[in-house]
């Protein structure tokens, strides 16, 4: 098994059962079992003071630099707070083969590997920015979730995906691929947070307008420019059922933006929800606004500066929706149960 350069020693490609190959008409380089990607995937794009992935250059809007890695740590903590320190909500007991799609810095996958030391975990991403001190039962691969998955059918008993809104053009296809590569009885779980907030329905203050302008712009970019939609959260349950999953459950949560709620848990979520926006905002918009909308670097900097003032203003009481949907691949001969179960942990709006 060929490894990458020493500083990327834990990042390997396509070793035991997966094989990646681009079609002949794709401009990207082909990668086959055991081939090192160091010369390609680490030749990053540096743009407007941020660093971006090289593999499939331009297909993902967020940076992969140290600043964004720190931001991902904040978001991972926010998810753990939301789930009361659980890593997943699907009713799985002892998963053996786990796939984490779009792992980012790999924090969830590493925690999962620690929690399930007998499981074999594969975590994929466009960038080799994962931990170099990962447990031995985890393997990181450079791969694109939007491409055809080349794992053997039914290779996994649990597939996890979190925070890929705005990254995928054909979500139903991705859900179908998850279905095909799960063992019968296995679970697929997808978690996302919305780009819209309660400001979209509240009023006409400066804060309302800046939040609403942001969400409207981001949604339009996905719908009209890139084809990588940002309204993912609204469709996950439909896609899950459409792919053939049964026992579909949708959990609803909210993330306050700021510690304004009276409820202690929501107040703590709000503290980290504020950090989520303050620390994540520039990475969310820099590439999209400069590449797609034609803004200058300085215009984005000024926008982010003004928006952060609004976010940090504790007089503003906003929140965003968070949803987690999971479903089970039916066993042979099993009849699908009708409907979808919706569970809500939504306790906001009151101060």
């Amino acid at each position: 098994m060929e490894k990458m350069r020493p500083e990327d020693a834990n990042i390997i490609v396509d070793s035991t059962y997966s094989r990646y190959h681009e079609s002949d008409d794709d401009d990207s380089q082909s990668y086959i079992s055991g081939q090192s990607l160091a010369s390609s995937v680490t030749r990053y794009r540096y743009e407007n003071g941020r660093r971006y992935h090289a593999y499939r250059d331009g297909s993902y809007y967020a940076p992969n630099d140290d600043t964004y890695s720190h931001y991902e740590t904040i978001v991972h903590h926010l998810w753990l707070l939301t789930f009361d320190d659980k890593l997943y909500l699907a009713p799985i007991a002892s998963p053996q083969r786990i796939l984490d799609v779009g792992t980012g810095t790999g924090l969830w996958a590493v925690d999962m590997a620690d929690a399930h030391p007998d499981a074999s975990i594969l975590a994929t991403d466009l960038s080799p920015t994962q931990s170099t001190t990962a447990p031995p039962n985890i393997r990181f691969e450079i791969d694109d979730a939007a491409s055809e998955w080349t794992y053997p059918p039914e290779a996994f008993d649990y597939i996890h995906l979190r925070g890929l809104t705005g990254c995928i053009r054909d979500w139903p296809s991705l859900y179908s691929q998850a279905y095909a590569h799960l063992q019968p009885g296995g679970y697929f779980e997808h978690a996302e947070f919305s780009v819209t907030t309660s400001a979209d329905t509240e009023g006409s203050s400066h804060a309302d307008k800046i939040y609403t302008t942001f969400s409207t712009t981001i949604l339009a970019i996905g719908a009209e420019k890139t084809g990588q939609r940002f309204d993912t959260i609204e469709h996950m349950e439909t896609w899950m059922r459409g792919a053939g999953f049964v026992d579909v459950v949708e959990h609803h949560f909210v993330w306050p933006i700021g510690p304004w709620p009276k409820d202690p848990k929501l107040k703590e979520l709000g503290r980290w929800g504020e950090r989520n926006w303050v620390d994540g905002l520039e990475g969310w918009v820099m590439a999209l606004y400069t590449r797609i909308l034609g803004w200058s670097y300085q215009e984005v900097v000024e926008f982010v500066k003004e928006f952060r003032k609004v976010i940090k203003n504790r007089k503003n009481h906003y929140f965003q929706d968070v949803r987690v949907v999971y479903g089970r691949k039916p066993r042979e001969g099993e009849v699908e149960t009708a409907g979808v179960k919706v569970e809500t942990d939504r306790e906001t709006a009151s101060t």
Side-chain angles (χ1 to χ4, degrees), residues 254-256 260-261 266 319 345-351:
V254 292
W255 285 351
W260 52 267
L266 289 174
F319 61 89
D345 295 82
R346 188 171 186 155
E347 303 177 26
T348 62
S350 65
T351 58

Side-chain angles (χ1 to χ4, degrees), residues 88-349:
Y88 52 86
L89 299 183
I92 57 176
S94 300
Q96 296 300 302
R97 299 188 71 88
I98 300 169
L99 174 64
D100 184 30
V101 181
T103 193
T105 55
L107 293 173
W108 182 91
V110 169
D111 282 355
M112 195 68 173
D114 285 334
H116 296 276
D118 295 330
S120 174
I121 299 175
L122 174 63
T124 66
D125 201 82
L126 294 172
S127 295
T129 56
Q130 295 78 33
S131 170
T132 57
T133 58
N137 58 325
I138 186 173
R139 187 171 81 254
F140 297 112
E141 287 187 2
I142 308 305
D143 205 353
D144 183 358
S147 296
E148 180 183 355
W149 296 10
T150 53
Y151 315 112
E154 303 180 358
F156 307 99
D157 53 16
Y158 177 62
I159 297 177
H160 174 263
L161 190 155
R162 188 177 77 184
L164 289 190
T165 193
C167 304
I168 305 296
R169 285 187 174 84
D170 190 348
W171 278 105
S173 174
L174 187 148
Y175 273 64
S176 294
Q177 294 203 79
Y179 184 93
H181 292 91
L182 270 175
Q183 297 174 3
Y187 278 88
F188 174 43
E189 183 165 346
H190 185 183
E192 296 285 353
F193 58 87
S194 68
V195 301
T196 59
T197 70
S198 54
D200 290 85
T201 59
E202 283 195 352
S204 58
S205 70
H206 174 64
D208 292 328
K209 289 179 179 178
I210 199 167
Y211 272 109
T212 303
T213 299
F214 163 79
S215 61
T216 301
T217 301
I218 292 294
L219 289 171
I221 287 174
E224 302 169 10
K225 303 292 185 181
T226 68
Q228 296 164 298
R229 60 197 307 165
F230 283 89
D231 62 346
T232 310
I233 193 171
E234 303 291 340
H235 304 280
M236 297 189 300
E237 176 263 315
T238 300
W239 294 331
M240 188 76 70
R241 288 190 290 116
F245 290 97
V246 299
D247 296 339
V248 176
V249 176
E250 182 176 66
H251 289 265
H252 289 218
F253 303 90
V254 292
W255 285 351
I257 305 171
W260 52 267
K262 291 180 179 179
D263 178 84
K265 180 180 178 180
L266 289 174
K267 184 178 289 293
E268 183 67 6
L269 283 170
R271 291 189 181 97
W272 289 93
E274 181 180 296
R275 288 288 304 277
N276 176 41
W277 281 77
V278 169
D279 288 24
L281 181 60
E282 184 185 282
W284 300 342
V285 302
M286 183 61 76
L288 292 174
Y289 281 28
T290 56
R291 297 177 193 173
I292 307 297
L293 301 182
W295 286 31
S296 68
Y297 167 75
Q298 193 57 44
E299 285 175 325
V300 175
V301 168
E302 291 301 319
F303 170 74
V304 170
K305 181 180 179 180
E306 181 62 24
F307 202 161
R308 282 175 174 163
K309 291 179 182 177
V310 170
I311 295 167
K312 292 179 179 181
N313 186 342
R314 300 295 173 80
K315 295 180 180 179
N316 296 323
H317 294 177
Y318 299 116
F319 61 89
Q320 61 191 133
D321 287 328
V322 178
R323 297 186 193 179
V324 180
V325 179
Y326 60 78
R328 181 174 59 84
K329 182 174 180 176
R331 297 177 178 85
E332 186 176 356
E334 190 173 5
V335 178
E336 180 179 358
T337 57
V340 57
K341 183 179 180 182
V342 178
E343 300 185 3
T344 179
D345 295 82
R346 188 171 186 155
E347 303 177 26
T348 62

